[in-house]
Amino acid sequence: MSEPTTTTLHHTGFDTAWWGSDLGSYRPCDATYQRYPLESLPPLDPARFVGTFDWLAAKGQPVPGEVAALEFLAHRLSEAGLSLPADFTTFYTHSGLLAALDEVSVTACWTDISDPLPCPFDPGARFVQFLRDQQDCLIWYLYLRPGKPAAVVVSPLMHNDEEEEPEFTPAELDTLRTHFHACADSFEEFAYRFWTENNLWGHARDRARSTPARGSCSSCGTSRTA
């Protein structure tokens, strides 16, 4: 994975960044993923994201097993004074939505919702893992804090689910924090950008395949020489 250095501090206390893939001539990428400044991406209107996912598809019907699983997760979080964001619950409990990120991912990311995970940076906060790259190159988490809006953070680290967190020195915590980046102010905002970019990857690939290389014959693909 490739990493530029430009970042901006987010209200969560993490630097901001978007880890994305190659979009052809629109946005080159040096590896499977590259870290881009969040400010370099097209801005999104938060008012568009009201938890209905009408930009994606019809919600479909609630899936009883998924409803029960998220109800249990919500109960676990409530013990810490936290709650799941409504958009996350809607997405992962409805038949027309819950597989959308897995299906569109060009790097075979898949849904894997964890139990609440302790946060080494804030004892009152919790991470909830929800999406991971097939080779665990990147993991996406909800970041939940008491009385604060949920956000999505991404990291190349698989955060542990041990009840007792190892003790870190301040210097170790500072280093650990650099491996987490805030990438969206809400789950739906993340889902929109992830879904859109992965669709764009397919369009960019198809365009590259259909465009003859400069100096080649469009009918046979052979190069022309002077």
Side-chain angles (χ1 to χ4, degrees):
M1 296 189 294
S2 180
E3 302 185 18
T5 57
T6 302
T7 55
T8 301
L9 191 66
H10 190 254
H11 67 77
T12 56
F14 299 109
D15 287 334
T16 61
W18 179 263
W19 284 95
S21 299
D22 178 46
L23 294 180
S25 60
Y26 302 105
R27 190 184 69 195
C29 182
D30 295 332
T32 303
Y33 297 102
Q34 184 165 324
R35 195 179 82 200
Y36 302 94
L38 199 58
E39 296 78 7
S40 70
L41 276 60
L44 300 178
D45 180 6
R48 180 174 188 178
F49 306 113
V50 295
T52 59
F53 297 92
D54 55 1
W55 50 267
L56 178 57
K59 288 193 305 184
Q61 299 300 314
V63 180
E66 303 302 329
V67 171
L70 284 200
E71 285 179 347
F72 180 73
L73 175 57
H75 173 72
R76 291 287 308 278
L77 287 166
S78 70
E79 295 173 345
L82 301 168
S83 59
L84 284 173
D87 57 356
F88 183 89
T89 300
T90 295
F91 187 88
Y92 281 118
T93 57
H94 283 79
S95 60
L97 302 175
L98 59 86
L101 302 186
D102 304 50
E103 291 170 351
V104 78
S105 174
V106 300
T107 52
C109 293
W110 58 290
T111 295
D112 183 25
I113 300 176
S114 72
D115 288 334
L117 305 173
C119 174
F121 314 111
D122 181 348
R126 296 291 185 273
F127 290 116
V128 174
Q129 169 193 298
F130 65 89
L131 188 69
R132 58 198 288 189
D133 172 79
Q134 66 165 338
Q135 296 180 335
D136 291 337
C137 296
L138 292 172
I139 316 291
W140 286 269
Y141 302 89
L142 289 178
Y143 182 55
L144 306 173
R145 297 175 293 165
K148 302 289 181 64
V152 176
V153 300
V154 58
S155 175
L157 302 180
M158 174 71 74
H159 194 50
N160 72 68
D161 58 358
E162 297 175 4
E163 291 188 3
E164 293 187 8
E165 274 283 302
E167 293 186 4
F168 296 99
T169 67
E172 288 172 335
L173 279 175
D174 287 344
T175 299
L176 183 62
R177 187 183 290 274
T178 65
H179 295 288
F180 289 82
H181 293 93
C183 61
D185 287 331
S186 70
F187 172 76
E188 188 177 5
E189 181 181 309
F190 165 79
Y192 176 85
R193 203 181 287 280
F194 184 93
W195 185 86
T196 299
E197 285 211 355
N198 280 268
N199 271 291
L200 285 174
W201 182 93
H203 291 303
R205 178 201 58 187
D206 293 343
R207 179 180 180 183
R209 287 178 173 176
S210 63
T211 302
R214 181 176 298 178
S216 66
C217 174
S218 60
S219 61
C220 63
T222 56
S223 297
R224 295 176 178 174
T225 58

